[in-house]
Amino acid sequence: MSYWLMKSEPEVYGIDRLQREQTTLWDGVRNYQARNFLKSMQVGDRAFFYHSNTNPPGIVGMMEITESMVVDPSQFDGDGEYFDPKATLENPRWHTVRVKYVQTFDHALSLSELREAFTAEELLVVKQGNRLSVLPVLDKVADRIMLLAQLP
DNA sequence: GCCAACGTTGGC
DNA sequence: GCCAACGTTGGC
């Protein structure tokens, strides 16, 4: 079982909405490195939900991967913002995962708190200028994040 | 709203 | 294959 971190802007899709809907397809990722991480996710893996472009940004909860290597249908939607004219049904370019809600942390961990607790080597999201929306998280770091998230 | 970081595109 | 121009992300 591996740990990941996935970003979303709460204005676009926040953890409250995931809690209401319980499950969602993580569509619309259009960065190859992020896609490659998505493709390597396994059912049962866990992902920290990170709110980006908000004040404060940070880790707000936990999700679980329930389906892997799902063809992202938004690449075929000619009217949608994630349409990819180079994608075909025979050769889709974008795969993603389905996730389910696990929990919202009592104590959300802001980016500044994460910076205090972890180095950029330990946790990529604290690295300055990191724009990847899907990142791996080391097991040991994931354990420490979950401990910190339980503190008052 | 600004702007640094950085990924992508396309001319050559 | 280089690299300038351009677009996007996301913290602040």
Side-chain angles (χ1 to χ4, degrees), chain A residues 28-53:
Chain A
V29 171
R30 293 293 178 270
N31 170 287
Y32 287 104
Q33 221 183 324
R35 181 205 62 181
N36 291 343
F37 286 136
L38 286 170
K39 286 172 83 168
S40 63
M41 288 181 185
Q42 309 274 327
V43 171
D45 282 1
R46 297 208 150 191
F48 294 100
F49 197 129
Y50 180 96
H51 278 175
S52 65
N53 236 314

Side-chain angles (χ1 to χ4, degrees), chain A residues 67-87:
Chain A
E67 218 180 316
S68 60
M69 281 297 279
V70 182
V71 173
D72 182 344
S74 66
Q75 65 194 301
F76 306 121
D77 177 6
D79 299 323
E81 61 176 313
Y82 301 122
F83 178 62
D84 183 345
K86 291 179 184 158

Side-chain angles (χ1 to χ4, degrees), chain A residues 6 9 49 67 97 110 150:
Chain A
M6 296 161 83
E9 302 185 20
F49 197 129
E67 218 180 316
V97 294
S110 69
Q150 285 165 14

Side-chain angles (χ1 to χ4, degrees), chain A residues 90-145:
Chain A
E90 299 73 35
N91 272 306
R93 302 175 90 199
W94 305 103
H95 289 75
T96 187
V97 294
R98 176 166 288 280
V99 298
K100 77 170 181 192
Y101 175 83
V102 174
Q103 65 168 321
T104 303
F105 291 142
D106 292 332
H107 178 75
L109 295 166
S110 69
L111 180 56
S112 58
E113 286 176 274
L114 293 171
R115 286 211 165 107
E116 282 173 26
F118 303 103
T119 66
E121 288 71 38
E122 289 174 313
L123 183 63
L124 289 170
V125 79
V126 308
K127 203 160 142 188
Q128 191 207 8
N130 184 9
R131 302 185 309 161
L132 259 193
S133 65
V134 182
L135 301 167
V137 177
L138 299 169
D139 286 1
K140 276 186 178 178
V141 172
D143 291 342
R144 285 171 60 199
I145 291 172

